[in-house]
Amino acid sequence: MSEINMNQSFAAGAQNNEKNYFFPLAAMTTLFFLWGFITVFNDVLIPRLKSVFDLNYTEAMLIQFCFFIAYFVVSLPAGNLVKRLGYQKGIIIGLVVAAAGCLLFYPAVIVHQYWVFLTALFVMASGIVILQVSANPYVAALGTPKTASSRLNLAQALNSLGTTLGPIAGGMLLFGAGSAAVVEAANADSVKVPYLVIAGCLLAIAVVFAFLKLPTIEAHIETEDCKVKDKNLKEAPHLMMGVVAIFCYVGAEVSIGSFIVNYFAEEHIGGLDAPTAAKLLGYYWGGAMVGRFIGSQALKYVAPSKALVFNSVFVMLLLAATMLTEGNVAMVSVLAIGLFNSIMFPTIFTTAIEGLGSLTSKGSGWLCLAIVGGAIIPLLQGVVADTMHIQISFIVPLVCYIFIAWYGLNVVKLSKQWHDKIA
C-alpha cells in the first residue's frame, strides 16, 4: 500500500500528460542510439589497434578498461551534477564532453601513441556517463511507474540499433573494403574521420537540446515532506544489489562483444578475417535490439524479475555451448547471447531505482558507476585468454550471469524491505 501512495500523484500526473511525453521520448532516443553506436565502436577498434601496436589480449582490453573506468570515476559526480542542474543541462554537458573526447582522436593519430588513444577514450566515455546518468532515469520517469521497464526497454532498443550498425560501419571505416591487402596496409589513420564525424553529430545534438523544452519530473525533486529525504542509498538493498547486477551484466556483455572478432579468427571456430568477423558481430548487438523491441511489449504483462531470470538462464546455456563446441555451433551460440541480453540492463536499472523518489538521480549515479564492470570483466577475460585459451575465457562472463539470475530471483523481496523502511 505504501508503494501505491508513494507513486500515486506522479502516476496521475503522468496519465494526464501522456500525450506530452511523445516528443521528449522521441528526442531521448537519439541519445540512446548515439551512445550505443559509440560504445560498440570499441569492439572494432580493439582488433585495429591490437594490430597497429602489436598488443596482446590483456593490453588490447585496456581500450575497454579506459573507456569503462570513466563510469567508476565520473558517475557519482555526474549524479550530483544532474541533481543540481537537472536532466536537460546534464544531457547537454554530457554531449559536449563526449564530443571533446572524439576530437582528441585526431592528435592521438598524429603522435601515434597508444596512451593518447586511451586518454581520448576516457574523455569520450566521461561524457557518455553524464548522458546515461541523465537519460536513463528521465526516460523511466516519463510515464507511469508500472510501465517504466517497458519504456526503458523501448529506448534501449534504439541503443541496440546503434550497437548493431556500429560494428558494420566500424568494419568498413577501420578495415577498408576488407581485402587482405587493404587490411594489412591500414593503420591508425583510419580512426580519424569516423570520430570527427561522431564529434560533429554530438555537438549538433547538444545545440538542439539547448533549445528543447523538456518536462520537469516533480517526483524527483526533494521537498520537506519527502519520505526519502533523510534516507541513505545504502539502506536500499534492491539498489545495492542492482549495482552489483549492473556491474556483472555490463561487464559480461562488453567482454563477450570485445572477444567475438578474435574468437571467430580461431581456426577451429571460424577462421575468419577481421572485416568478416566484424560484420557478424552486428548479429550479436542486433539480437539485443530485436529482444528489446519484444521486451518492451512483453514486460507490460510479464514481471521484470521473472523475465530477468528466464533470460539469464538461457545465456548461461549458450555460454556453455560456446565453450564446449566448435565451428558454426559455437559461433551461433555466442551471437545468440545478444538476443537474451536484450532486456537485462533496462530491467535491472528500473527495478533498482524503483521507489527512490528524490534520490533517483543519485541512485542512477550509483548504477552508472557499476558500468565500470565493462572495464574490469573484459580485462579479467583477457588475462584468462592469455594464460589459458580464448574459448575457456568465456567462463568469466558465465559467472556474471549466475549472479544476475540470483538478483532476478530476489529483487522483489529486496524492494519490499526498502518500502517497509520508508512506509
Side-chain angles (χ1 to χ4, degrees):
M1 192 67 182
S2 60
E3 178 183 351
I4 295 174
N5 292 334
M6 176 181 299
N7 293 317
Q8 188 174 27
S9 60
F10 173 61
Q15 290 169 347
N16 291 334
N17 295 284
E18 193 73 35
K19 61 183 179 182
N20 297 325
Y21 287 158
F22 176 79
F23 181 73
L25 281 170
M28 299 304 294
T29 58
T30 62
L31 303 181
F32 282 79
F33 174 86
L34 267 178
W35 84 55
F37 187 94
I38 293 169
T39 301
V40 82
F41 222 78
N42 291 350
D43 293 345
V44 185
L45 186 65
I46 287 169
R48 175 71 276 157
L49 296 186
K50 184 177 186 293
S51 174
V52 170
F53 292 102
D54 193 25
L55 309 172
N56 62 30
Y57 284 120
T58 305
E59 291 168 335
M61 286 306 123
L62 286 175
I63 291 173
Q64 297 291 30
F65 180 83
C66 287
F67 186 90
F68 285 96
I69 198 68
Y71 285 88
F72 185 80
V73 176
V74 179
S75 288
L76 294 186
N80 291 325
L81 176 74
V82 172
K83 184 174 178 63
R84 188 167 64 251
L85 300 180
Y87 292 121
Q88 185 167 3
K89 290 181 179 177
I91 288 168
I92 296 169
I93 293 171
L95 287 166
V96 172
V97 173
C102 291
L103 292 173
L104 283 175
F105 274 86
Y106 195 91
V109 171
I110 294 174
V111 300
H112 199 72
Q113 294 291 322
Y114 187 44
W115 70 268
V116 185
F117 282 99
L118 298 179
T119 301
L121 282 164
F122 178 83
V123 175
M124 182 176 66
S126 297
I128 293 175
V129 173
I130 301 172
L131 279 179
Q132 292 220 39
V133 170
S134 304
N136 281 311
Y138 188 74
V139 169
L142 286 174
T144 62
K146 182 180 179 181
T147 57
S149 289
S150 172
R151 196 161 46 253
L152 193 54
N153 264 286
L154 181 59
Q156 287 283 345
L158 274 298
N159 175 271
S160 295
L161 178 59
T163 60
T164 302
L165 297 178
I168 298 172
M172 292 187 295
L173 294 171
L174 300 186
F175 291 104
S179 68
V182 171
V183 173
E184 185 66 27
N187 53 46
D189 287 352
S190 59
V191 309
K192 285 194 298 188
V193 173
Y195 283 98
L196 286 175
V197 172
I198 293 171
C201 292
L202 290 169
L203 290 173
I205 293 174
V207 173
V208 172
F209 267 85
F211 290 96
L212 288 181
K213 291 184 178 180
L214 298 179
T216 301
I217 307 301
E218 299 294 339
H220 292 184
I221 299 175
E222 187 174 280
T223 59
E224 287 301 317
D225 61 347
C226 180
K227 290 185 178 181
V228 300
K229 185 174 184 293
D230 298 318
K231 297 295 181 181
N232 190 304
L233 287 176
K234 293 180 181 179
E235 299 178 55
H238 65 302
L239 172 67
M240 300 313 295
M241 291 299 100
V243 167
V244 180
I246 289 286
F247 178 93
C248 290
Y249 167 70
V250 175
E253 180 193 46
V254 170
S255 193
I256 292 168
S258 300
F259 277 88
I260 282 178
V261 173
N262 288 306
Y263 178 62
F264 285 179
E266 294 289 312
E267 287 299 325
H268 69 291
I269 301 299
L272 304 179
D273 57 30
T276 303
K279 292 176 183 176
L280 290 177
L281 178 60
Y283 289 102
Y284 174 73
W285 298 108
M289 177 183 65
V290 172
R292 282 169 177 165
F293 278 118
I294 296 171
S296 68
Q297 297 303 312
L299 285 168
K300 294 178 180 179
Y301 311 101
V302 179
S305 58
K306 293 180 180 179
L308 193 59
V309 173
F310 178 85
N311 281 33
S312 58
V313 169
F314 261 87
V315 172
M316 286 187 276
L317 294 174
L318 289 169
L319 277 170
T322 301
M323 296 170 62
L324 299 174
T325 61
E326 298 180 356
N328 290 336
V329 175
M331 292 172 66
V332 171
S333 295
V334 73
L335 291 176
I337 290 172
L339 178 65
F340 294 95
N341 269 342
S342 56
I343 58 100
M344 290 191 187
F345 182 90
T347 301
I348 296 170
F349 196 97
T350 52
T351 55
I353 64 172
E354 192 270 327
L356 293 184
S358 64
L359 295 176
T360 299
S361 60
K362 284 188 175 181
S364 175
W366 278 89
L367 290 166
C368 287
L369 175 115
I371 296 176
V372 72
I376 306 301
I377 303 301
L379 203 60
L380 291 176
Q381 187 170 352
V383 172
V384 176
D386 283 330
T387 55
M388 301 178 73
H389 190 273
I390 188 171
Q391 192 166 17
I392 297 174
S393 71
F394 284 98
I395 194 172
V396 175
L398 178 61
V399 173
C400 294
Y401 288 105
I402 293 174
F403 180 84
I404 294 169
W406 177 89
Y407 175 79
L409 288 169
N410 290 275
V411 65
V412 174
K413 180 176 67 176
L414 295 172
S415 182
K416 185 178 183 302
Q417 292 175 16
W418 166 252
H419 286 295
D420 289 345
K421 288 179 181 179
I422 63 175

